[in-house]
Each structure stands twice: as structure tokens, then as C-alpha cells.
């Protein structure tokens, strides 16, 4: 046991001290921040573009009714000028030309022409402006014609928006408010973290095994410790490297977030908030309703998060994370021991990585329909369950399914470690032999 | 006293027999040569002694009791195919390997510094292995094999990769280690160094032990009744004197005198040969040829392959 710790320590220290590790660990958060900053910058700066839209209003209904909003200005033009501009839109000072036909009330049709790609958000805004105006105008006319008292108020009263509150009834019969969006994000994130970690650090274990085999030092080491101790020390040591990296990222992430907020808060944060609000307004059919809900948004999100069964999620995350990592890294360690060169290792890795890749590609489907057959079976099969089950848990899951899945995974992991140790033990001292799966199965039968 | 014994060791890989009922007994304080052609099973036996692989059947006895996992710390092993972590600093690496053999860190540093000084590689303590010449890497590897003062040392081709000066240095170190009480199992294809160093040898061919014994005794046993005789006189007379009991293998005439290599065909003592020669020629020198380990190796292996 003592020697396993020695191996673990060496594995950990040599990796953590490596230049590539330090650079990658420091660089990644900055890259992420840079990427986000770029996205924000692009979306904010995009909004800042001053646009003047020429409006040719054939119906002459909208004159003075299209108020400038934000950076977009509307300029009404006579028919003659419309043709002029249309003939050479490129050279005109206008960003686009809006043509409102005479029969717009009946056809519900207008045209926005530009030489540039018109942003979806802009066309939506104009659409909404026109619709709202026509709708209001029609309503006023109806009110005037029918002459029913207080019709305006009555019509407003008929405006209905049903808010669906999703509740999940747990086994104990208690009702819990669940949010599918928060659950979706949580499930996706956790599935992805496990996938990423298993893939990256499992491959690291494999490379480390191959390095020892290639440099031939492995024979000296296994004359001091049992191969199993070497494998275990390597797997745990590498896992600690990964956890260190993640811990550094979390700390750096928090620091950067706090720093960015303090630095940019007055301008950018507000702009960001505005653009989010705007987009939300656009999404909602009736803006007023959303606006009412706005102040409680943060509270609501907090409520949604607390609606998740956090202790269960955390508990399962740890189990699936550990078992998944152990399962895959021992398999990859065995592959590293069995092969002599990189080409062979890629060939052998393929069947191992397929279930992993499959589970990450189907993650979306699983998170969308966590009770479906795909989700069920993938969360039971041990090679896919670490990713697939984590995607299901935030939605709540029958206890027996969870226990069965954990049981299968842990059992398979233990069996795999046993088999991997056998392959590892034989493989590390085997040179110049092209191994196939038949050969590997033979190795399993060798006496220790 | 016996330090290590292997009894009826068998090992099979898939369908290939690597060791068949192999017995060896290594006396304490001796240098035991483990010989055999490539692929005979030597490395398998060495790995079994190091507990890297387990035998299918058979007993291993160390210091009079069954070989135990813990004994690994009292064995030092220098494999034929060597290697160290290329990117790791030499000092750290040597400490790590010593710790794996059960040494405490401070003690390991102390002994390692001594060895590094002795081998004149102390300035390289903080260098990485990949920055070193091959000979220097071999020195580091040798040090890591012996630093924990094992009772049993196993060297597989210890001189390969060394220039003659360093090979001699290593040879002297091996002899000194024996003087200090270590027992050494020495596997090599270099029969010259076997004659020079080994007290006892065992020869393995095709998974079976075919020869075992003290080097001197083995060479004596493999004498082929061949004699080298220096003489003055006519070759014709000499042949006449020999009659039918002898065959002449080689004959050379020179200014200083002639020499001839003779094999006794029907068995007999050197005196019989002398008495046959004396009436015919003047004998100036007379030597019985004792075969080199090289000759013994070749004849024993070829014999065993033919049977």
C-alpha cells in the first residue's frame, strides 16, 4: 500500500510539474473568458449599429406611427424616391427599405429589402411593430362600430395567457416544483463533465502506461512492486491530477468572474441585461406578461435549482464519476499495456471509446426524454451509464432503476479492473507481438 | 550455505513451454552464471525469481524458507533491456526507485550520493536522463540496482552498453559486492566473463537445465583428451610413435620447434602419450587442453539439440 502511494505521488508530481500542464491549466480559463467576452462584445456591438430604414408606405396608414427604437430609425419616403433607392440600394444612405403595400390590412404582408443580411431580431421587431399597430387600429374600429360600452376593457380582460407550472409527484406522493429547463441544463452539464474527464484522463493513463513500457523501465518497477499496485497508483494519481486541474479552474473562474463584474459592471453588465430583456420580450407573445414576471426571475431560478434533489444528484455524480473513471481508465491502461506503438493503440481504443462517444451524442435525446427506452437502456448498460444516468437523475428517477444501474456499474467496474490488471500484467512485459482480442482473452487465463 | 533454491519450476505460456522442471541452487556469496541460448527460458526464470511472473508449479526457497513478496526488497535486478524515465531528474528518479525497494528517503539520498561520487556522476544529479550519454545512463541504472544493498543480485548482461573501461569498473564493483557478502546471479552470453567471474554455472536450453556445476569442474569434465605438445624432431617419427590410438588435429612447424595438437582416441592418461612420444622426438612442452566455457557451451547445446 505504501508503495502504491509512492507511485501515486510520482505520477501526480511529474504531471503537475510539467510545463504543458501548467500552461494548459492557466490558459483554459482565459480562453473561456476570452470566448465569452468575444460573444458578448459581438452581440453588444451588433446592437450598436445605427440603421436608418427607408419606409415607403403605400397604405399611408403608418406615417408617424413607426417610432425610432434604439439605434434603428425610420424615415418615410415618397413613391418616387422609393424607386430611386430601389434602383441603387447599395449607394443609398439607407440600411434597408421597408415597403408596406396598400392592402396590408387584408394581406398581412410587407417587404423589407436590403443588400445586407437582415438580422432576425430586426425583422422580428418590425413585424411586431406593424402587427401591433394594425391589431390596435382594427380593434378601435370594431369598438367604434359595435358601440358596446367598455368593450376595450372587456377585450383586454379576455386576453389570456396560461402559465403552465410543472410539478413532479415524487414516490412519497409529495408535489415538487420542477423546472425542465434547469434539469435539462444540469443533466447536460453533468453528463458532459463525466465524459470530458473520463476521456481526457483515461487517455492520460494510457499514455503513461505506454511510456513506461516503451522506455522499458517497467521491468525494473515490477521487480519492486506488484503490477496491480503500479496500475492503481497510476490511475489514482492521474485522477488527482485531473481534480487538481478542475479545482484550479473553479478557483480561477470565480476570481475572473468577480473581477470582470467589478470591472465591467457599469456598462457591459447593463447592456447585457438589456439585450437579454429585449430578447425575452421578443420571445413572449404578450410582452406585458413577461415584464410582470421579470423582477422575480432570479428568485424563480433559485427556486428551480432548489427544486432539484441536490443531495441525490451530488451523491450519484460522485458514484458515477468515480466508477466511470475507474472503468474506463483501467480499460485504457490495459490497452496501453497491450500495445507497442501508437497506431495499434488507436485501433484498440476504438471499441472502448465507441460507447462513450455514443452516450455523449445521445445525451441530448436522453435529456429531452429521460423516461424513454433509449434513456433507460443506456443508463443501465455500464459502459454508457455514467454519462447517460447523470443526464436522467436531475429529472428524478425511480429508486430501483438507480440502484440497479449503480449495482451493474460497480460490479462491471470491479470485474473490469480485475481483467485489466491481468492484461496489464502480461502486456507490460510483452514486446514485438501484435495483439488482438483473442490474444487478450488468453492473457486473462494466465496464472498470476 | 544455500541462499536461493528453485525446485521443479515449470512455466508455460499458452502452448510454449518456457521452463521444464528446472532446479537450481545458489550458494551464498558466490557468482552464479545462468547461461543458455536466446529464448531458452533464462529471462523467464529470472522474472520468476523477481516475482514478476509466477511459476505454474514448483517451489522457490530464499534463505531457507519459501520466497515471500517482502523478499523483493532484498533482491536487486538489472534487466537486460534497460530504461529509466527520460523526463525525470536522475537524482529524483534514483531516490524513487530506491524507495520502491523499501529504503527511507533520507537514507536513500545518503547512499545514492556516495555511489554517484564513486561513479563520478555527481554533477548530473539534477539533469534529466535524456541529457545523458548511454554509458552514464547505464551507470545510473547499475546504482539503482545495488543501492538498497540486496542480498541477492541479478544481473542480466550487465556489461552491454559499456566501453571497456567502464565495463571493467562495473566488473570490479560486482566483485566488491560479492566480497561484502552479496550473492550474484549473472546471466550473459559472454563466456569470457563467465570464466573470469563465475564460481558456478547452470545452462538452460529449450526450457530444460542441461548442465549445472562449478565452472572448473565443468571444464575438467568436458576435456576431450586433447594435448598440445611442443617438440623437436621429425613429424614423421612422431606419427610413427603415436600409432593408431591417437589422431593429430593440428600440426605446425616453426624455427623454434614444432607443435602438434593430439587427441587420445581410446582414452588413457597423459603419461601414456608421453611414453609413446619420448622414444621418437624431444618433447619441449606438454599441455592438456582444457576447453573454454565457449567450447563447453557450444558442444553441450549442440549435443542436447541433436538428441
Amino acid at each position: 500500500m505504501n508503495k502504491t502511494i509512492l507511485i501515486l505521488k510520482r505520477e501526480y508530481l511529474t504531471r503537475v510539474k510539467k510545463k504543458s500542464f501548467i500552461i494548459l491549466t492557466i490558459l483554459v480559463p482565459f480562453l473561456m473568458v476570452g470566448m465569452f467576452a468575444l460573444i458578448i462584445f459581438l452581440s453588444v456591438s451588433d446592437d450598436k449599429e445605427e440603421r436608418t430604414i427607408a419606409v415607403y408606405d403605400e397604405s399611408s396608414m403608418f406615417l408617424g406611427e413607426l417610432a425610432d427604437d434604439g439605434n434603428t430609425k425610420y424615415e418615410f419616403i415618397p413613391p418616387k424616391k422609393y424607386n430611386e433607392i430601389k434602383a441603387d440600394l447599395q449607394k443609398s444612405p439607407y440600411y434597408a427599405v421597408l415597403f408596406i403595400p396598400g392592402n396590408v390590412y387584408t394581406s398581412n404582408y410587407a417587404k423589407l429589402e436590403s443588400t445586407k443580411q437582415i438580422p432576425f431580431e430586426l425583422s422580428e421587431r418590425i413585424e411586431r411593430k406593424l402587427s401591433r399597430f394594425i391589431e390596435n387600429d382594427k380593434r378601435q374600429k370594431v369598438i367604434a362600430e359595435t358601440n358596446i360600452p367598455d368593450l376595450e376593457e372587456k377585450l383586454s380582460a379576455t386576453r389570456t395567457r396560461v402559465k403552465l407550472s410543472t410539478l413532479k409527484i415524487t414516490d412519497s406522493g409529495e408535489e415538487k416544483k420542477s423546472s425542465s429547463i434547469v434539469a435539462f441544463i444540469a443533466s447536460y452539464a453533468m453528463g458532459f463533465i463525466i465524459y470530458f474527464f473520463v476521456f481526457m484522463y483515461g487517455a492520460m493513463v494510457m499514455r503513461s502506461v505506454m511510456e513506461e513500457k516503451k522506455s522499458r523501465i517497467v521491468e525494473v518497477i515490477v521487480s519492486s512492486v506488484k503490477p496491480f499496485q503500479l496500475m492503481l497508483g497510476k490511475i489514482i494519481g492521474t485522477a488527482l491530477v485531473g481534480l487538481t486541474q478542475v479545482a484550479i479552474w473553479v478557483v480561477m473562474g470565480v476570481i475572473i468572474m468577480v473581477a470582470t463584474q467589478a470591472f465591467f459592471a457599469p456598462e457591459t453588465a447593463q447592456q447585457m441585461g438589456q439585450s437579454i430583456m429585449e430578447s425575452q420580450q421578443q420571445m413572449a407573445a404578450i410582452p406585458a406578461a413577461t415584464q410582470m414576471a421579470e423582477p422575480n426571475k432570479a428568485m424563480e431560478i433559485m427556486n428551480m435549482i432548489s427544486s432539484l434533489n441536490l443531495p441525490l444528484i451530488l451523491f450519484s455524480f460522485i458514484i458515477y464519476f468515480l466508477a466511470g473513471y475507474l472503468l474506463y481508465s483501467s480499460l485504457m491502461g490495459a490497452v496501453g499495456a497491450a500495445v507497442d506503438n501508437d497506431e495499434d493503440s488507436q485501433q484498440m481504443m476504438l471499441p472502448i471509446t465507441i460507447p462513450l462517444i455514443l452516450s455523449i451524442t445521445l445525451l441530448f435525446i436522453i435529456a429531452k426524454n429521460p423516461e424513454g427506452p433509449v434513456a433507460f437502456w443506456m443508463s443501465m448498460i455500464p459502459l454508457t451509464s455514467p454519462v447517460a444516468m447523470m443526464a436522467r437523475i436531475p429529472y428524478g428517477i425511480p429508486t430501483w432503476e438507480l440502484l440497479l444501474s449503480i449495482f451493474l456499474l460497480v460490479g462491471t467496474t470491479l470485474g473490469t479492473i480485475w481483467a485489466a490488471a491481468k492484461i496489464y500484467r502480461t502486456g507490460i512485459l510483452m514486446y514485438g507481438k501484435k495483439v488482438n482480442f483473442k490474444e487478450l482473452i488468453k492473457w486473462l487465463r494466465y496464472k498470476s | 550455505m544455500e541462499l536461493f533454491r528453485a525446485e521443479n519450476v515449470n512455466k508455460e505460456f499458452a502452448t510454449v513451454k518456457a521452463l521444464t522442471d528446472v532446479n537450481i541452487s545458489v550458494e551464498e556469496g558466490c557468482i552464479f552464471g545462468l547461461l543458455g541460448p536466446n529464448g531458452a527460458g533464462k529471462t523467464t526464470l529470472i522474472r520468476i525469481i523477481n516475482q514478476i511472473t509466477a511459476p505454474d508449479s514448483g517451489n522457490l526457497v530464499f534463505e531457507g524458507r519459501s520466497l515471500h513478496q517482502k523478499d523483493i526488497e532484498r533482491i536487486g535486478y538489472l534487466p537486460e533491456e534497460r530504461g529509466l524515465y527520460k523526463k525525470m531528474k536522475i537524482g529524483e528518479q534514483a531516490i524513487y526507485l530506491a524507495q520502491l525497494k523499501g529504503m527511507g528517503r533520507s537514507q536513500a539520498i545518503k547512499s545514492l550520493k556516495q555511489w554517484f561520487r564513486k561513479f563520478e556522476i555527481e554533477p548530473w544529479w539534477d539533469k534529466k536522463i535524456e541529457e545523458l550519454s548511454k554509458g552514464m545512463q547505464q551507470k545510473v541504472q547499475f546504482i539503482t540496482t545495488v543501492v538498497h544493498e540486496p542480498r541477492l543480485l541479478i544481473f542480466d548482461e550487465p556489461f552491454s552498453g559499456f566501453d571497456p573501461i567502464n565495463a571493467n569498473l562495473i566488473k570490479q564493483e560486482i566483485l566488491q559486492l560479492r566480497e561484502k557478502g552479496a550473492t550474484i546471479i549473472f546471466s550473459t552470453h559472454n563466456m569470457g566473463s563467465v570464466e573470469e567471474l563465475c564460481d558456478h554455472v547452470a545452462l538452460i536450453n529449450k526450457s530444460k537445465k542441461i548442465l549445472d556445476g562449478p565452472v572448473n569442474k565443468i571444464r575438467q569434465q568436458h576435456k576431450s583428451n586433447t594435448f598440445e605438445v611442443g617438440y623437436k624432431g621429425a613429424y614423421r617419427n612422431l606419427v610413427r610413435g603415436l600409432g593408431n590410438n591417437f589422431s593429430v588435429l593440428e600440426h605446425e612447424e616453426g624455427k623454434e620447434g614444432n607443435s602438434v595438437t593430439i587427441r587420445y582416441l581410446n582414452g588413457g592418461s597423459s603419461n601414456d602419450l608421453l611414453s609413446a612420444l619420448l622414444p621418437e622426438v624431444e618433447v619441449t612442452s606438454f599441455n592438456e587442453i582444457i576447453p573454454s566455457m565457449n567450447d563447453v557451451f557450444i558442444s553441450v547445446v549442440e549435443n542436447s539439440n541433436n538428441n
Side-chain angles (χ1 to χ4, degrees):
Chain A
M1 202 56 223
N2 228 346
K3 290 181 181 171
T4 310
I5 289 167
L6 272 175
I7 291 163
L8 186 156
K9 224 169 90 186
R10 191 203 81 86
E11 198 72 26
Y12 179 79
L13 288 177
T14 45
R15 292 205 177 274
V16 169
K17 281 194 217 153
K18 255 190 189 165
K19 276 194 199 100
S20 58
F21 174 84
I22 296 169
I23 291 171
L24 188 75
T25 308
I26 293 173
L27 225 56
V28 163
F30 284 108
L31 281 176
M32 297 280 272
V33 168
M35 213 172 71
F36 277 120
L38 191 72
I39 291 170
I40 291 166
F41 172 77
L42 285 178
S43 62
V44 169
S45 69
D46 193 50
D47 259 2
K48 269 187 184 152
E49 197 184 330
E50 299 264 347
R51 296 193 190 94
T52 309
I53 293 170
V55 182
Y56 169 45
D57 182 13
E58 210 181 48
S59 65
S60 2
M61 297 286 301
F62 293 88
L63 192 64
E65 295 292 342
L66 290 178
D68 297 351
D69 48 32
N71 301 311
T72 315
K73 293 191 170 57
Y74 300 94
E75 201 180 306
F76 286 84
I77 49 166
K80 221 179 98 190
K81 207 172 172 197
Y82 171 63
N83 289 328
E84 265 172 45
I85 293 165
K86 250 195 102 174
D88 198 357
L89 193 56
Q90 187 84 50
K91 280 198 184 131
S92 77
Y94 300 108
Y95 174 80
V97 182
L98 175 64
F99 170 67
I100 305 173
N103 63 351
V104 66
Y105 265 50
T106 48
S107 69
N108 290 336
Y109 169 80
K111 207 160 62 172
L112 187 63
E113 289 161 295
S114 175
T115 52
K116 301 178 187 77
Q117 175 65 46
I118 296 166
F120 179 66
E121 180 252 349
L122 178 66
S123 63
E124 274 240 299
R125 202 180 328 154
I126 295 172
E127 238 170 50
R128 213 168 42 243
K129 265 181 196 287
L130 297 180
S131 316
R132 214 183 297 163
F133 178 83
I134 295 170
E135 198 182 310
N136 265 330
D137 197 54
K138 280 180 178 169
R139 198 188 304 143
Q140 292 305 328
K141 274 185 192 146
V142 171
I143 291 168
E145 278 167 14
T146 52
N147 213 359
I148 300 170
D150 300 332
L151 184 59
E152 167 111 52
E153 287 72 25
K154 282 178 185 159
L155 278 177
S156 293
T158 62
R159 195 181 287 166
T160 313
R161 187 172 184 235
V162 174
K163 194 154 189 321
L164 202 60
S165 176
T166 45
L167 296 166
K168 171 113 189 160
I169 306 205
T170 60
D171 289 347
S172 53
E174 103 190 78
E175 277 189 4
K176 266 208 166 162
K177 195 159 186 221
S178 77
S179 159
S180 34
I181 288 184
V182 171
F184 185 81
I185 292 170
S187 66
Y188 214 96
M190 278 182 299
F192 201 81
I193 288 172
I194 289 183
Y195 167 80
F196 172 79
F197 199 90
V198 164
F199 219 104
M200 183 153 164
Y201 294 96
M204 206 181 262
V205 169
M206 186 186 77
R207 276 199 305 277
S208 165
V209 171
M210 283 178 72
E211 186 204 331
E212 277 177 4
K213 187 178 174 181
K214 260 189 191 163
S215 72
R216 307 264 179 171
I217 193 174
V218 70
E219 187 158 1
V220 174
I221 293 182
V222 294
S223 73
S224 305
V225 300
K226 285 188 206 150
F228 184 67
Q229 287 177 307
L230 179 57
M231 190 176 102
L232 204 65
K234 205 174 271 303
I235 286 175
I236 298 172
T238 308
L240 292 180
V241 174
L243 291 176
T244 306
Q245 195 163 42
V246 171
I248 293 172
W249 284 344
V250 168
V251 171
M252 280 181 80
V254 170
I255 291 172
I256 289 172
M257 246 162 67
V258 170
T260 326
Q261 263 175 3
F263 193 72
F264 289 111
E267 308 137 41
T268 322
Q270 242 177 8
Q271 270 167 346
M272 261 177 70
Q274 252 176 12
S275 69
I276 289 169
M277 291 247 284
E278 269 171 41
S279 63
Q280 272 166 351
Q281 278 173 14
Q282 286 154 20
M283 271 192 282
I286 295 154
T290 342
Q291 247 146 12
M292 289 238 298
E294 210 64 46
N296 295 325
K297 203 84 189 171
M299 277 271 281
E300 206 174 315
I301 289 171
M302 287 306 291
N303 280 337
M304 283 170 172
I305 290 173
S306 63
S307 79
L308 298 172
N309 189 347
L310 285 178
L312 177 75
I313 289 176
L314 202 67
F315 165 79
S316 341
F317 182 73
I318 290 169
I319 289 200
Y320 281 97
F321 184 83
L322 286 180
Y325 170 73
L326 284 175
L327 175 64
Y328 275 99
S329 60
S330 56
L331 275 176
M332 291 184 194
V335 167
V339 299
D340 273 348
N341 52 57
D342 293 333
E343 296 99 80
D344 287 357
S345 78
Q346 269 155 23
Q347 225 172 61
M348 301 270 289
M349 275 281 276
L350 194 67
I352 294 175
T353 49
I354 280 175
L356 204 54
I357 292 169
L358 194 70
S359 50
I360 199 74
T361 33
L362 293 180
L363 188 61
F364 189 75
I365 293 173
I366 295 165
K368 257 175 77 176
N369 185 9
E371 312 272 318
V374 175
F376 175 80
W377 286 109
M378 291 203 44
S379 62
M380 286 300 140
I381 297 167
L383 281 170
T384 54
S385 69
V387 173
M389 189 50 112
M390 276 328 290
R392 291 184 63 195
I393 286 172
Y395 295 97
I397 184 170
T399 313
W400 73 268
E401 278 187 32
L402 185 64
L403 289 180
L404 180 63
S405 163
I406 288 178
F407 175 77
L408 288 174
L409 178 64
V410 171
T412 310
T413 302
L414 292 177
T416 305
I417 291 173
W418 173 83
K422 290 209 146 198
I423 291 172
Y424 179 80
R425 200 188 52 217
T426 311
I428 44 173
L429 296 172
M430 196 80 80
Y431 293 94
K433 196 169 188 177
K434 179 121 176 140
V435 285
N436 48 31
F437 286 96
K438 213 174 121 198
E439 183 77 27
L440 290 185
I441 287 166
K442 219 186 286 167
W443 292 2
L444 291 182
R445 294 202 213 106
Y446 286 167
K447 211 181 148 195
S448 61
Chain B
M1 210 190 90
E2 182 189 67
L3 181 74
F4 174 80
R5 185 170 76 239
E7 288 170 348
N8 299 317
V9 170
N10 280 284
K11 180 76 186 177
E12 206 177 304
F13 290 112
T15 51
V16 185
K17 206 78 166 110
L19 293 171
T20 311
D21 287 324
V22 170
N23 290 286
I24 61 164
S25 166
V26 181
E27 287 292 309
E28 184 164 9
C30 87
I31 299 183
F32 186 98
L34 188 60
L35 316 179
N38 295 321
K42 281 173 301 174
T43 305
T44 305
L45 181 59
I46 288 173
R47 282 181 181 165
I48 285 173
I49 300 171
N50 277 301
Q51 301 179 58
I52 295 171
T53 35
D56 295 338
S57 67
N59 290 324
L60 302 163
V61 180
F62 186 70
E63 294 177 330
R65 45 171 182 72
S66 195
L67 185 70
H68 187 262
Q69 174 67 30
K70 195 78 183 149
D71 294 331
I72 234 170
E73 292 179 357
R74 318 190 52 191
I75 299 177
Y77 174 36
L78 182 71
E80 185 180 2
E81 296 280 0
R82 294 170 208 159
L84 294 161
Y85 291 110
K86 289 192 176 60
K87 307 259 178 207
M88 207 175 168
K89 284 179 183 164
I90 302 171
E92 275 308 310
Q93 181 151 208
I95 293 169
Y96 172 63
L97 292 172
Q99 280 180 309
L100 285 184
K101 281 288 186 188
M103 276 183 112
R105 190 178 166 87
S106 54
Q107 197 204 341
I109 293 173
K110 211 177 123 210
S111 313
L112 283 168
K113 289 270 184 192
Q114 274 173 11
W115 277 102
F116 272 54
R117 220 166 297 139
K118 197 172 185 183
F119 278 24
E120 294 167 353
I121 53 171
E122 217 186 356
W124 280 272
W125 182 270
D126 276 326
K127 287 267 187 332
K128 285 178 184 168
I129 283 289
E130 56 187 356
E131 298 170 58
L132 262 62
S133 73
K134 193 160 181 235
M136 252 188 269
Q137 290 183 26
Q138 302 275 41
K139 281 185 183 175
V140 175
Q141 191 113 39
F142 182 84
I143 292 172
T144 59
T145 309
V146 300
V147 70
H148 59 292
E149 293 171 12
R151 275 197 88 182
L152 178 63
L153 275 159
I154 302 170
F155 293 117
D156 200 348
E157 293 292 356
F159 305 124
S160 73
F162 281 114
D163 61 49
I165 292 169
N166 281 321
N168 194 48
L169 176 78
I170 295 295
K171 195 172 79 191
Q172 295 312 319
E173 285 304 329
I174 291 176
L175 290 171
Q176 267 183 38
L177 285 165
R178 177 178 61 171
E179 240 143 73
K180 283 183 199 152
T183 306
I184 292 152
I185 294 178
F186 175 47
S187 172
T188 183
H189 289 137
N190 181 343
M191 293 303 139
S193 58
V194 171
E195 278 167 30
E196 213 173 337
L197 293 171
C198 292
D199 306 306
H200 194 109
V201 293
L203 202 161
I204 295 174
N205 185 38
K206 294 186 172 167
S207 87
K208 291 187 185 109
K209 187 178 80 177
I210 54 170
L211 186 69
D212 190 356
V215 173
N216 293 334
K217 220 171 148 194
I218 286 178
R219 288 176 67 191
Q220 289 291 333
Q221 277 168 357
H222 286 79
K223 287 189 300 195
S224 50
N225 286 323
T226 311
F227 302 86
E228 194 179 53
V229 180
Y231 69 95
K232 282 178 180 161
Y235 178 61
R236 188 161 29 87
N237 295 345
L238 180 132
V239 173
R240 187 176 63 207
L242 289 176
N244 293 330
N245 289 335
F246 302 94
S247 80
V248 175
L249 301 177
E250 248 180 81
H251 174 236
E252 209 173 296
E253 291 191 5
K255 273 184 193 162
E256 305 292 315
N258 308 325
S259 77
V260 68
T261 310
I262 302 165
R263 176 174 286 165
Y264 212 136
L265 290 177
N266 303 323
S269 72
S270 47
N271 278 355
D272 296 334
L273 176 59
L274 268 175
S275 53
L277 289 175
L278 288 175
E280 306 295 337
V281 293
E282 183 191 346
V283 174
T284 55
S285 68
F286 187 86
N287 274 321
E288 179 166 18
I289 294 177
I290 296 171
S292 67
M293 277 312 291
N294 206 43
D295 296 335
V296 174
F297 184 98
I298 292 170
S299 78
V300 171
V301 170
E302 277 179 351
N303 257 334
S304 119
N305 286 349
N306 291 339
N307 292 340

